[in-house]
């Protein structure tokens, strides 16, 4: 079987372009990029939400009742 050389990768890439066409590959790449951006944005919003929940609970722990 051997190693994967640059020529083998170029042949596989050329076959993929011939099968799917450049337009379909371009739209596929754009869709993949927007999905990754959306995922990163959702993860950042989730992290910000957890931080604000923790900050909101912190003052409640510091309340001291005087008798």
């Amino acid at each position: 079987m051997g190693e994967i050389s640059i020529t083998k990768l170029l042949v596989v890439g050329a076959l993929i372009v011939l099968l799917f066409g450049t337009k379909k590959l371009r739209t596929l790449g754009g869709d993949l990029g927007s999905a990754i951006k959306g995922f990163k944005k959702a993860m950042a919003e989730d992290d910000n939400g957890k931080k604000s929940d923790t900050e909101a609970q912190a003052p409640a722990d510091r309340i001291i009742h005087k008798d």
Side-chain angles (χ1 to χ4, degrees):
M1 189 77 180
E3 296 180 15
I4 299 175
S5 65
I6 190 72
T7 55
K8 290 179 184 178
L9 289 175
L10 289 174
V11 169
V12 169
L15 288 175
I16 289 173
V17 169
L18 286 174
L19 286 175
F20 296 109
T22 56
K23 185 175 181 181
K24 187 176 272 191
L25 290 175
R26 190 179 313 127
T27 57
L28 179 68
D31 292 342
L32 182 64
S34 64
I36 291 172
K37 284 181 186 178
F39 178 75
K40 286 182 180 181
K41 183 178 178 184
M43 292 299 292
E45 288 175 357
D46 188 41
D47 288 343
N48 290 338
K50 286 182 182 178
K51 288 180 184 176
S52 64
D53 289 344
T54 305
E55 292 170 357
Q57 292 174 358
D61 293 338
R62 296 182 192 161
I63 296 175
I64 300 173
H65 296 286
K66 294 182 181 179
D67 293 327

